[in-house]
Amino acid sequence: MATTVIAPEGLEAYLAGLPFLGSLSASHGEVRAGAVEEILLVYEIGASGIADSGRLKITFKFYSDWGELQTHEPRGRDYLSARFVPRASFPGESPATLRRLAVKYDTKGHERPYQKAVIVDLVDGFARPGDRIEVRLGDRSHGGAGTRVQTFVEDGFRFRAYVDVTGTSRLAAVPGDIVLRVAAGRPHALRVLTPRAARPGVSVPVVVRLDDAWGNPCALAVARVSLSLKGGAAASETVAWVAGARALRHELRPSEAGNYRLEVRVDSGEETWVSSVPLSIGELPSERPYFADLHVHAHDTVGTNSTASNLSFARDLAGLDVLGYTVNDFQITDRDWSSALADIARFHEDGRFVCFPGTEWCGNSAVGGDHNVVFLSGEVRFPNDASGRSLRSFEWHEHMRGAAPEPGRWPLTALYAAYQDAPERFLLIPHVGGRRASLDYHHTELERLCELSSSWGHFEWLFSEALARGYRLGASASGDEHRGRPGGGAPGASIFGVRGGLTGVLSPALDRASIGLALRQRRTWATTGERNVALLASGAHVQGDELEHAGPLPVRYRVLGHSGWEYVALKDHRGVVWERDLHREFGYAAQRLRVRWGGARVRDRYRWADYALSLRVSGTAVEDWTARGFEHPEESVRALSDGRFEVRSTTHGDADELDLRLLSLRHAQLTLDVRVSGFDGQPWREAAQLEVNGGALLDKGRVHFDLGGEGLFVAVERVTDAALPLELTGELTVPWSAAPPALDGQAPAYPVYLFGREIGDAKVWTSPLFVRWAR
């Protein structure tokens, strides 16, 4: 009897033309950073089909600050939806039995680095080859605005899809990522970057660029740039912008001492932008301050854009003098590491741009936590030591899916052992990133600096705790840049929510040997991303030095800023030793106050605090107001009627403020409703209602409310009407207090360092002077 085969007519030939695991396509190939769009992602199911209870994941990298996708408010921004679209049936073919799709968004729904995930589950039924699943990011069909694209530019932003075709929870990668170009928006603000100070006759580099609203440099087709140095020996010149460039770099050489103002005007023919920055020419401990970002990632681990792109940005667009390129040790492949070293060698140029290769040891906090290893000399000791033993914390990257992690140098003491034979060639820096460093571990020769600020937040608590333990660490700050913008990179809208930090360096020359020695000598200060300068000295000794002294300690200090210094203090391992409140010193304004708030919820990852403040001013009228410290366009103040304000702000250890001018401060009554929530939108603590009376504020000058967490606070403070100084200098005598504990049998060293804060919350910290008491 003849055999009969029954099958849908034409289906077999159709399946032969489909990729087995399907394909992903997108409605867009290019988007503008920070734009609000509707993005359609279409997954066409492959020849495999998808079984009942199967799953589709569309992922992107964890460092992206793409708007937080949501499924509960169809009319809200970032609304996420999924729709099943069956294809036409072939003759004899039954339809799919799928009844619905269940869609959700999970910030940790997949493996690093592709952790953020849109997850679509098939509910009650299967889907056929060729059927489609349409995923809309920012679905506008119900009246929503769309979804906010990530705020920083990227050459190749990727959506990567994974599918469970059998319903067994085992996912396979769908071939062919969706690659979008994220481009800069329109020019919004002119930035002028200089080293802030120099000796007379020394070349002063100036970088001029136009940034969009999110801090991305914009290319210009044509422009004329006028630079005018005002004050002292005034001078001016005009320079042509190179067509298509994103910045202009120029050199000035002021010959006479003085306090200048550099005014820059950029004229594109259609628009004109003007900005100015202060520049001090005079006596300095070195020819000029050098600025370093010692902690930068590119796309070979968890950063954005190529190594060469990051190095070029640092040199040409950020005007940095020194860069430390630090790859995540557990994710970098040997091939990518070799390529990075070649790029570093190509960009390094003594006298112009010093590049140090390095790694980030990524052990968990319980066994030491994040530490950067910077290779200061020509010796690059990674990925293996001379005996072939791994120098990684462990080995675990996206190409190892399914394999167990292989431990290398674990715990931190094993890392110390790898470098302690020649500590002068290396520099280890404990810091707070995803994993915070544990100060239960310390190596007195390898660890010479501590990171106080990065794009993750402000972390003076780490420095204070280290000094309290007797550790002789200097101050540094870095970008920990994941977004392709080293050198004080602009804040994003989520996990990296503040400007990246910078390390100021006192060095006799800009070369690897001199800079490396200065870093190990702790001749440094830390800033929150500004080119501010902070100097501390006692006699012939400068910050970072160890000295012996009997009796009270004479010190000199100097800070140079941009927006005006409101507070400076000398601190030791216990806290404030001496302070200047410039608002009080210059005289409080009769009718002004400000509300200031900040801090973080916890010391670990996802630390930020989302503040929702409702302020009501009664008993008087609000004549004017100014908001400061807000990092990006999505932090906001709304002024309502009857003296009411609604504030939305996020702090990562930093502080924001609302400055009010009232008709009568004495008769004012302030009512503050304060709500603090975490990254998951859940309340961190119960809402607080705070009351402040204007009369009481006149008497006290400041009312402070402690909200717990890691320095969460709200304060109501009087402020001055006087112009705050851009430069502060002074001399004083520091009284002794008890020294911290001795380490390794060494005599205890009393640490004293300078802290400064400008209006708007720009901060500086010097490395301490470490004073041993002479008997």
Side-chain angles (χ1 to χ4, degrees):
M1 187 172 66
T3 301
T4 302
V5 176
I6 300 173
E9 183 181 337
L11 180 59
E12 183 176 0
Y14 175 71
L15 295 181
L18 292 179
F20 187 71
L21 294 176
S23 61
L24 189 68
S25 61
S27 58
H28 290 60
E30 179 173 308
V31 290
R32 297 290 174 182
V36 178
E37 303 277 0
E38 181 183 68
I39 309 290
L40 174 62
L41 303 175
V42 178
Y43 173 65
E44 183 174 345
I45 299 171
S48 62
I50 301 181
D52 183 8
S53 77
R55 168 175 284 190
L56 170 70
K57 275 188 189 180
I58 302 175
T59 68
F60 53 103
K61 290 186 176 180
F62 81 94
Y63 57 71
S64 174
D65 63 356
W66 198 289
E68 196 75 5
L69 299 168
Q70 52 89 15
T71 58
H72 60 274
E73 179 47 66
R75 295 185 179 182
R77 205 194 72 181
D78 302 309
Y79 182 62
L80 168 66
S81 70
R83 183 170 77 108
F84 178 66
V85 181
R87 62 165 170 78
S89 297
F90 285 90
E93 182 187 22
S94 300
T97 62
L98 177 67
R99 300 191 54 156
R100 66 182 178 89
L101 298 174
V103 61
K104 65 181 179 180
Y105 172 66
D106 188 343
T107 57
K108 298 195 72 174
H110 197 67
E111 294 181 14
R112 174 181 168 138
Y114 288 88
Q115 282 182 294
K116 293 186 173 181
V118 173
I119 301 171
V120 183
D121 285 306
L122 279 65
V123 180
D124 291 344
F126 65 85
R128 303 171 304 172
D131 291 341
R132 300 199 311 269
I133 296 174
E134 295 183 350
V135 175
R136 291 183 186 271
L137 313 181
D139 187 343
R140 290 172 168 167
S141 63
H142 303 281
T147 184
R148 201 253 301 119
V149 171
Q150 76 176 28
T151 66
F152 53 94
V153 301
E154 187 166 6
D155 299 334
F157 173 91
R158 289 177 180 270
F159 288 112
R160 178 167 293 175
Y162 300 85
V163 63
D164 170 18
V165 298
T166 59
T168 59
S169 298
R170 182 163 187 174
L171 293 160
V174 175
D177 297 346
I178 294 296
V179 181
L180 304 182
R181 179 173 182 264
V182 184
R186 290 184 53 80
H188 174 76
L190 176 60
R191 285 198 78 190
V192 180
L193 303 173
T194 77
R196 183 58 180 87
R199 289 176 181 169
V202 171
S203 180
V204 177
V206 179
V207 170
V208 179
R209 72 186 207 216
L210 284 161
D211 288 355
D212 68 12
W214 291 95
N216 300 296
C218 304
L220 293 180
V222 63
R224 291 175 62 82
V225 181
S226 300
L227 300 98
S228 300
L229 200 59
K230 300 187 175 181
S236 63
E237 51 189 306
T238 300
V239 185
W241 190 282
V242 175
R246 292 185 293 163
L248 178 144
R249 183 183 172 106
H250 191 65
E251 302 282 334
L252 300 174
R253 197 178 292 271
S255 59
E256 295 184 11
N259 288 320
Y260 294 86
R261 191 129 201 124
L262 174 62
E263 182 178 286
V264 177
R265 178 183 297 267
V266 178
D267 184 358
S268 70
E270 298 179 354
E271 293 184 75
T272 300
W273 298 268
V274 179
S275 184
S276 66
V277 293
L279 180 62
S280 296
I281 304 299
E283 186 58 36
L284 285 169
S286 61
E287 286 196 343
R288 69 171 177 86
Y290 298 112
F291 287 95
D293 188 340
L294 299 172
H295 190 173
V296 173
H297 301 284
H299 71 186
D300 52 19
T301 53
V302 292
T304 302
N305 299 330
S306 67
T307 305
S309 174
N310 277 266
L311 294 168
S312 176
F313 191 107
R315 183 189 65 187
D316 302 327
L317 276 71
L320 279 180
D321 303 300
V322 182
L323 186 83
Y325 183 74
T326 50
V327 299
N328 293 89
D329 68 346
F330 72 99
Q331 283 197 301
I332 188 77
T333 64
D334 291 358
R335 179 178 178 180
D336 285 343
W337 175 243
S338 296
S339 176
L341 291 179
D343 285 331
I344 290 166
R346 180 163 56 91
F347 274 83
H348 171 78
E349 182 182 351
D350 281 343
R352 183 185 180 191
F353 186 53
V354 170
C355 296
F356 294 114
T359 67
E360 182 175 358
W361 188 85
C362 298
N364 290 331
S365 297
V367 295
D370 281 356
H371 283 67
N372 279 351
V373 181
V374 184
F375 302 122
L376 299 177
S377 70
E379 180 185 359
V380 177
R381 199 178 289 184
F382 186 83
N384 301 303
D385 63 17
S387 66
R389 182 182 170 189
S390 174
L391 289 166
R392 304 171 188 270
S393 52
F394 60 102
E395 193 164 329
W396 182 265
H397 53 77
E398 59 180 309
H399 303 298
M400 290 178 62
R401 276 187 297 274
E406 298 177 7
R409 296 288 177 160
W410 194 279
L412 184 58
T413 47
L415 184 73
Y416 294 154
Y419 299 110
Q420 63 188 7
D421 63 302
E424 71 281 357
R425 302 176 192 171
F426 309 104
L427 175 65
L428 269 61
I429 306 176
H431 65 271
V432 178
R435 297 153 298 270
R436 60 180 165 106
S438 168
L439 295 177
D440 293 347
Y441 295 79
H442 178 56
H443 194 290
T444 57
E445 291 302 313
L446 288 169
E447 294 176 359
R448 306 290 288 178
L449 298 176
C450 177
E451 192 177 279
L452 284 87
S453 171
S454 73
S455 57
W456 292 93
H458 300 174
F459 311 109
E460 188 176 2
W461 56 263
L462 184 71
F463 192 46
S464 301
E465 183 179 326
L467 297 179
R469 289 175 178 243
Y471 301 169
R472 300 179 190 184
L473 295 177
S476 73
S478 298
D480 200 349
E481 185 56 45
H482 291 62
R483 297 158 301 173
R485 301 184 298 202
S494 65
I495 193 166
F496 303 110
V498 297
R499 186 170 296 282
L502 290 174
T503 301
V505 186
L506 294 176
S507 172
L510 182 60
D511 57 58
R512 266 189 184 158
S514 300
I515 294 292
L517 180 60
L519 292 173
R520 283 193 51 83
Q521 290 176 329
R522 304 169 298 225
R523 300 282 175 83
T524 60
W525 65 96
T527 88
T528 50
E530 303 76 20
R531 266 65 166 179
N532 288 343
V533 177
L535 305 174
L536 182 66
S538 180
H541 295 280
V542 299
Q543 57 221 68
D545 283 354
E546 297 185 26
L547 63 147
E548 284 194 357
H549 185 79
L553 181 72
V555 297
R556 307 184 307 277
Y557 68 89
R558 184 183 185 195
V559 287
L560 299 165
H562 287 80
S563 62
W565 297 102
E566 65 176 16
Y567 179 79
V568 293
L570 282 175
K571 298 185 177 184
D572 65 9
H573 58 292
R574 292 183 169 186
V576 174
V577 176
W578 166 91
E579 63 185 350
R580 288 179 68 180
D581 179 344
L582 279 299
H583 292 289
R584 183 175 64 230
E585 190 174 308
F586 281 38
Y588 293 131
Q591 311 300 350
R592 276 181 64 194
L593 62 81
R594 69 176 174 187
V595 181
R596 200 162 67 93
W597 60 94
R601 298 178 306 106
V602 295
R603 293 184 171 188
D604 296 292
R605 197 192 300 263
Y606 306 116
R607 60 186 55 85
W608 66 84
D610 286 324
Y611 276 90
L613 292 93
S614 179
L615 170 64
R616 171 72 183 274
V617 181
S618 57
T620 188
V622 177
E623 295 188 318
D624 196 11
W625 61 273
T626 302
R628 299 190 187 91
F630 286 23
E631 282 80 14
H632 56 74
E634 291 186 359
E635 295 185 315
S636 64
V637 177
R638 283 199 309 149
L640 307 176
S641 60
D642 302 325
R644 291 183 296 129
F645 295 85
E646 297 292 336
V647 180
R648 296 294 181 271
S649 160
T650 301
T651 65
H652 300 243
D654 59 308
D656 299 335
E657 63 184 63
L658 178 61
D659 189 317
L660 304 174
R661 183 177 296 278
L662 308 179
L663 183 63
S664 170
L665 178 55
R666 180 168 298 279
H667 296 99
Q669 181 69 32
L670 274 67
T671 303
L672 272 161
D673 289 312
V674 182
R675 291 172 172 80
V676 178
S677 57
F679 75 97
D680 55 0
Q682 298 301 307
W684 167 248
R685 49 161 292 157
E686 292 183 3
Q689 186 172 85
L690 313 175
E691 302 277 349
V692 178
N693 177 270
L697 189 62
L698 285 170
D699 294 336
K700 297 179 180 179
R702 183 172 190 263
V703 179
H704 180 93
F705 301 94
D706 185 349
L707 302 181
E710 184 51 50
L712 294 173
F713 77 95
V714 172
V716 182
E717 305 166 331
R718 297 190 68 186
V719 293
T720 188
D721 263 339
L724 291 168
L726 300 183
E727 178 176 353
L728 283 176
T729 59
E731 299 182 12
L732 68 147
T733 301
V734 181
W736 293 114
S737 66
L743 289 176
D744 300 330
Q746 298 177 351
Y750 173 79
V752 59
Y753 67 95
L754 182 70
F755 167 74
R757 186 180 70 236
E758 285 197 281
I759 192 82
D761 204 48
K763 299 184 178 95
V764 292
W765 301 264
T766 69
S767 290
L769 291 160
F770 294 96
V771 188
R772 296 187 302 275
W773 300 353
R775 300 299 181 185

